[in-house]
């Protein structure tokens, strides 16, 4: 983390003393953390730790009360949500958010045409339109939905909806994707298939995910940050986190099953 | 069914309909031709509303405002400056586009019932203005306007008589509807559908959704103004009733009866509304609205996708039957 000056090699994302108040309630308390380029960074913590709020202030659906958010060296603390997307900050949704009435391909195309700068055109050339469709199909096969392009998104299974959600997010050509509990509600098989898909994504893509499933976290993450009651209580490699006393204590309230995961042996 | 899904009109059907419209003056008497002209113009107006209601998901209750602004601008130009049709059209489109941009700038910042109330309020404001600004609009007495001419100034080429004006209106209608169809098929049009389906996701994809909604609002307003020009050119008279709530409501009813997000449905719905009005007003006097209301309720319950949804369903049944017939061994 200390290697390299900030100017030459900025982290993918940096939070500096990010604080969020809901009225009197302190939800995020001076959280500072850094996400390295290419990391598979997991954000964990017990229920009510402030993970979702942190997620929202990074994507821009909520504003911070104090503190700064720096994305790829550029301050985005007051930047609007759609501009953050244009800068390369992508996201997937906890409640998959798709265009249910449109076909699977049309879902991805909506994202591709915006990225390709075609969206505002009333009369684009045929070549541009083909390129949009081609890129859309490419992304669908990347997430394993190549054979499903013509059916309405509303008819997909839960796991397939997640896959499409990822394809739509990747279509915005992000350098960082935020994933909000990507495997929530999935069956074991669906979750494993999803993990296998994530592993095939290029290394240049940074992933920051909020995740409840510890198996998924330890399978995938290269770095883990732990939130508890709005504070960052631990930040380190999966090995370091597994052995952390503070993390164990934080998870004790969550029941023995979870706390056990962090017992060092 | 799939071939029919995006819009009920396939090329062959489209050609047949255009052909029928072209030969209509030979088949219809003066009164019916006048009615058909009215239907085409109002149908274009309803189709512009469909761009907002059906495609973008913006339920406007005050679309008559932009029709009315176009009508008044055309009437005033014809009275004070020139009776050239194109000058009238240009004035109608430009003025309604400007008014739509100004009101839309505020309206697209709201959603749902607030958008509905705001568009209604703008239209009522314009309605009141049309009644009270006596020096400009002659208030409730209305403005008689000269017949439009094709040539420059008063030099001739008057679009007098039903047939000449009908063909002029038909060309304008096909142009307007063609424009709207190109828009909804374009990437811009698909983005509007995306906003209707899931606006917050569109924002997260990098779309400045307010700007898209404003663009749709201006475009719909401009086409409504275009239809407003044609309306006043046909009737040679403009009064505040042309900006009334009833006009907005009839257009909305036409869109819903005809089937949302089809454009053609809005025109079919307009035909339906006008025929009911003209056929029933002789039998029921002022009670035709009551009948229209009952029909409207019936359509909403029985045909959730409107007349064009029904024609798609019938078309699907027919294709299936022909396919079955063709597939059956002799």
């Amino acid at each position: 983390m200390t290697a390299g000056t900030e100017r030459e090699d900025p982290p993918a994302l940096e939070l500096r003393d990010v604080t969020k108040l809901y009225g009197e309630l302190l939800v995020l308390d001076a959280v500072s953390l850094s996400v390295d380029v290419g990391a598979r960074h997991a954000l964990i913590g017990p229920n009510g730790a402030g993970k979702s709020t942190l997620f929202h202030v990074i994507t821009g659906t909520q504003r911070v009360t104090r503190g700064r958010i720096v994305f790829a060296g550029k301050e985005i603390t007051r930047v609007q949500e759609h501009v953050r997307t244009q800068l390369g900050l992508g996201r997937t949704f906890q409640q998959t958010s798709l265009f249910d009435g449109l076909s699977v391909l049309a879902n991805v195309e909506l994202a591709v045409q915006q990225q390709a700068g075609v969206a505002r055109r009333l009369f684009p050339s045929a070549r541009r339109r083909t390129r949009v469709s081609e890129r859309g199909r490419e992304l669908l096969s990347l997430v394993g939905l190549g054979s499903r392009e013509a059916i309405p998104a509303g008819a997909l299974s839960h796991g397939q909806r997640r896959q499409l959600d990822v394809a739509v997010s990747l279509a915005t050509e992000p350098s960082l994707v935020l994933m909000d509990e990507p495997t929530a509600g999935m069956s074991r098989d669906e979750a494993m298939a999803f993990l296998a898909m994530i592993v095939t994504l290029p290394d240049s893509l940074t992933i920051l995910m909020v995740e409840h499933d510890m198996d998924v976290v330890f399978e995938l993450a290269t770095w883990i940050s732990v939130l508890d009651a709005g504070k960052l209580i631990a930040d380190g490699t999966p090995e370091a986190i597994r052995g952390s006393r503070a993390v164990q204590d934080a998870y004790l309230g969550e029941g023995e099953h979870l706390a056990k995961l962090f017992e060092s042996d | 069914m799939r071939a029919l899904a995006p819009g009920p009109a396939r090329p062959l059907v489209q050609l047949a309909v255009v052909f029928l419209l072209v030969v209509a003056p030979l088949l219809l008497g003066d009164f019916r031709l006048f009615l058909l002209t009215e239907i085409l113009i109002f149908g274009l107006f309803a189709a512009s509303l469909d761009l907002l209601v059906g495609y973008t998901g913006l339920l406007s209750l005050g679309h008559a405002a932009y029709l009315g602004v176009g009508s008044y601008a055309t009437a005033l130009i014809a009275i004070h400056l020139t009776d050239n049709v194109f000058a009238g059209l240009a004035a109608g489109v430009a003025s309604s586009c400007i008014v739509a941009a100004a009101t839309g700038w505020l309206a697209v910042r709201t959603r749902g019932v607030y958008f509905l109330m705001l568009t209604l309020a703008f239209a009522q404001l314009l309605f009141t203005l049309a009644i009270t600004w006596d020096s400009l609009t002659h208030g409730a007495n209305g403005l008689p306007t000269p017949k439009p001419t094709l040539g420059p100034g008063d030099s001739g080429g008057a679009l007098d008589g039903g047939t000449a004006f009908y063909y002029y209106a038909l060309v304008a209608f096909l142009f307007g509807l063609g424009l709207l169809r190109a828009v909804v098929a374009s990437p811009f049009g698909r983005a509007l559908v995306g906003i209707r389906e899931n606006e917050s996701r569109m924002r997260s994809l990098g779309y400045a959704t307010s700007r898209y909604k404003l663009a749709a609002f201006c475009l719909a307003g401009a086409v409504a103004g275009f239809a407003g020009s044609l309306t006043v050119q046909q009737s040679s008279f403009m009064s505040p009733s042309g900006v009334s709530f009833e006009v907005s409501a009839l257009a909305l009813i036409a869109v819903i009866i005809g089937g949302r997000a089809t454009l053609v449905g809005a025109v079919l719905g307009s035909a339906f509304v006008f025929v009911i009005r003209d056929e029933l007003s002789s039998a029921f006097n002022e009670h035709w609205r009551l009948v229209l209301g009952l029909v409207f309720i019936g359509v909403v319950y029985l045909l959730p996708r409107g007349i064009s949804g029904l024609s798609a369903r019938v078309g699907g049944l027919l294709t299936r039957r022909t396919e079955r017939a063709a597939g059956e061994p002799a």
Side-chain angles (χ1 to χ4, degrees), chain A residues 12-254:
Chain A
L13 181 75
E14 212 182 342
L15 306 181
R16 294 181 196 153
D17 294 322
V18 166
T19 301
K20 176 73 181 177
L21 284 155
Y22 287 132
E24 298 279 291
L25 187 68
L26 185 62
V27 188
L28 291 175
D29 187 0
V31 174
S32 294
L33 65 85
S34 174
V35 179
D36 286 339
V37 173
R40 302 289 182 261
H41 195 129
L43 189 62
I44 64 171
N47 283 329
K51 303 186 295 291
S52 289
T53 305
L54 190 64
F55 196 89
H56 289 312
V57 300
I58 297 171
T59 57
T61 47
Q62 289 177 21
R63 293 296 154 88
V64 297
T65 311
R66 276 191 300 277
R68 300 171 66 193
I69 303 169
V70 181
F71 173 65
K74 187 181 187 315
E75 168 140 13
I76 58 163
T77 317
R78 308 261 163 242
V79 168
Q80 279 181 290
E81 183 187 1
H82 73 266
V83 181
R84 294 187 196 199
T85 308
Q86 288 165 4
L87 290 171
L89 186 69
R91 69 169 296 188
T92 67
F93 290 74
Q94 188 174 356
Q95 301 293 326
T96 45
S97 179
L98 298 166
F99 308 99
D100 284 345
L102 307 183
S103 75
V104 167
L105 181 61
N107 267 265
V108 189
E109 281 179 345
L110 272 178
V112 175
Q113 69 171 21
Q114 160 64 19
Q115 177 60 29
V118 185
R120 255 172 271 170
R121 286 172 191 265
L122 285 180
F123 307 106
S125 67
R127 200 164 51 96
R128 277 177 195 273
R129 300 195 75 158
T130 339
R131 224 184 293 155
V132 167
S133 300
E134 276 169 8
R135 178 69 184 138
R137 293 205 169 89
E138 227 172 86
L139 286 159
L140 285 181
S141 60
L142 185 71
V143 300
L145 284 176
S147 58
R148 308 241 155 216
E149 64 172 63
I151 67 172
L156 291 177
S157 75
H158 184 74
Q160 288 170 333
R161 290 176 64 82
R162 296 278 174 159
Q163 285 164 278
L164 180 57
D165 198 18
V166 172
V168 172
S169 301
L170 291 179
T172 65
E173 309 289 340
S175 56
L176 171 72
V177 178
L178 289 141
M179 296 186 176
D180 196 359
E181 301 198 18
T183 64
M186 281 189 184
S187 69
R188 207 74 222 147
D189 289 348
E190 281 179 329
M192 287 306 128
F194 187 85
L195 278 185
M197 187 266 290
I198 296 292
V199 168
T200 64
L201 296 178
D203 284 343
S204 56
L205 183 73
T206 310
I207 297 175
L208 173 61
M209 63 166 68
V210 172
E211 182 57 78
H212 268 302
D213 187 329
M214 290 307 152
D215 292 340
V216 171
V217 168
F218 285 108
E219 176 81 24
L220 205 62
T222 56
W223 197 268
I224 298 175
S225 300
V226 189
L227 272 183
D228 185 31
K231 280 197 173 80
L232 188 71
I233 57 165
D235 192 43
T237 61
E239 295 73 42
I241 296 298
R242 207 187 273 274
S244 161
R245 183 75 216 166
V247 178
Q248 272 177 51
D249 292 345
Y251 270 92
L252 272 177
E254 294 274 304

Side-chain angles (χ1 to χ4, degrees), chain B residues 87-168:
Chain B
L89 283 180
V93 171
S95 56
S96 57
C97 189
I98 290 167
V99 175
T103 51
W105 186 81
L106 249 159
V108 300
R109 270 147 232 276
T110 63
R111 61 192 64 215
V113 79
Y114 299 101
F115 181 85
L116 204 115
M117 296 312 289
L118 213 54
T119 49
L120 177 64
F122 285 139
Q124 289 307 99
L125 202 75
L126 276 165
F127 177 67
T128 311
L129 206 63
I131 289 181
T132 52
W133 197 347
D134 217 49
S135 59
L136 193 73
T137 65
H138 289 194
N141 293 327
L143 286 172
T145 59
K147 290 271 178 209
T149 56
L150 280 171
D154 305 325
S155 63
L159 274 174
D160 217 344
T163 308
F165 190 84
Y166 169 76
Y167 280 118
Y168 161 69

